[in-house]
Amino acid sequence: MTDHTWAPLPGPLPEVLPGLDLPEPGRQRRWTVLLRWLLLIPQYIALLFLGIAAFVVMVVGWFAALITGRLPEPIASFLTGYLVYSTRVAAYAMLLVDTYPPFAFLAPGYPVHVEVHPGKLNRLAVLFRIILLIPAAIVVELLFYGWFVICLIFWLLVLIRGRMPRPLFEATAATARYTMRLYAYQMMLTAAYPKRLFGDEPTPTEQPRSATRPLLLSGAGKALVVVFLVLGAAVLIFNNFPNTTSTTSQPSVASKASG
């Protein structure tokens, strides 16, 4: 399996959602699970510098897409490579795969595969990209806050069992795929707005390409996605509550001091 597919599509505004291929949840080496986040430090350092470069390239691409209605091929190629690389690192960090991600955009044979088709873009949607991103960005923020709240439990489960339980794999894969689609839309690599957080509809005639294409969530997997969202909302409310309390209490403190 190749590491990613990049193919620009001609014609009017294709609604082609970026695809994510992940292998079936298999055995994982316990020592890599134990040291997973320590092993990722070099990857995050690389992503830091690549992210800065990707931001600059994305800004240039935004102006180009606003004028021409599509990303120039060199910009689309670089942003696709960054998207693929960051998705591989995220999949490894979230215990979806046990193979260490290579420090490269192109990595033939790596088990995480991203398919994206840059094409023509609606200039109005490009102009208001940041505003349009807000709803999907909120969903991603809730998902990740919720996932991180209970990720220690997931980590212990995989560490003890040596593999990820299927419902947990489904919910985590759904989170990773939706996040990847948000970034692809943000970087103007697709005209398709992020969707299908709760998986794909089963199609009898469609032959499965991987464990996530199509991504079919069980009842337990969908319930876990809901748990991520609810916990994420609770974390955000809890984090903002002390600020509200301290803000409202300031006038009384000031009045006491003046008195």
Side-chain angles (χ1 to χ4, degrees), residues 17-216:
L17 283 167
L20 175 63
D21 287 301
L22 294 170
E24 290 288 343
R27 299 290 302 177
Q28 300 202 34
R29 295 165 293 176
R30 288 180 174 86
W31 75 268
T32 66
V33 176
L34 178 65
L35 303 175
R36 184 62 52 100
W37 291 292
L38 184 63
L39 294 171
L40 279 167
I41 292 176
Q43 297 285 351
Y44 286 134
I45 293 174
L47 277 175
L48 174 64
F49 291 102
L50 285 172
I52 295 172
F55 176 77
V56 175
V57 172
M58 183 174 63
V59 171
V60 175
W62 182 83
F63 284 103
L66 195 59
I67 296 170
T68 66
R70 66 168 59 243
L71 285 178
E73 185 170 335
I75 291 178
S77 180
F78 178 82
L79 292 177
T80 298
Y82 174 75
L83 175 70
V84 173
Y85 178 59
S86 60
T87 301
R88 289 198 301 250
V89 173
Y92 185 74
M94 299 173 80
L95 303 176
L96 290 169
V97 292
D98 191 48
T99 305
Y100 194 78
F103 292 92
F105 284 177
L106 295 175
Y110 192 77
V112 177
H113 174 266
V114 174
E115 183 175 339
V116 62
H117 298 280
K120 288 193 67 65
L121 299 166
N122 185 311
R123 290 181 178 86
L124 193 61
V126 172
L127 179 63
F128 294 103
R129 208 59 154 202
I130 295 177
I131 297 175
L132 294 172
L133 281 168
I134 292 175
I138 292 173
V139 171
V140 167
E141 187 173 20
L142 295 178
L143 286 169
F144 270 94
Y145 270 117
W147 189 90
F148 277 113
V149 165
I150 48 180
C151 68
L152 181 60
I153 298 175
F154 302 160
W155 178 77
L156 287 173
L157 277 174
V158 180
L159 185 62
I160 294 170
R161 297 187 56 195
R163 68 170 62 240
M164 181 175 280
R166 183 72 194 190
L168 176 56
F169 171 82
E170 294 170 357
T172 305
T175 299
R177 188 180 74 165
Y178 191 87
T179 303
M180 180 271 294
R181 287 176 172 174
L182 170 68
Y183 291 155
Y185 186 76
Q186 175 183 328
M187 291 186 282
M188 295 161 291
L189 293 171
T190 178
Y193 198 78
K195 54 176 69 76
R196 299 182 188 172
L197 173 60
F198 291 93
D200 303 315
E201 293 295 327
T203 305
T205 58
E206 183 178 5
Q207 293 296 322
R209 296 180 53 175
S210 67
T212 53
R213 295 188 66 190
L215 178 57
L216 304 176

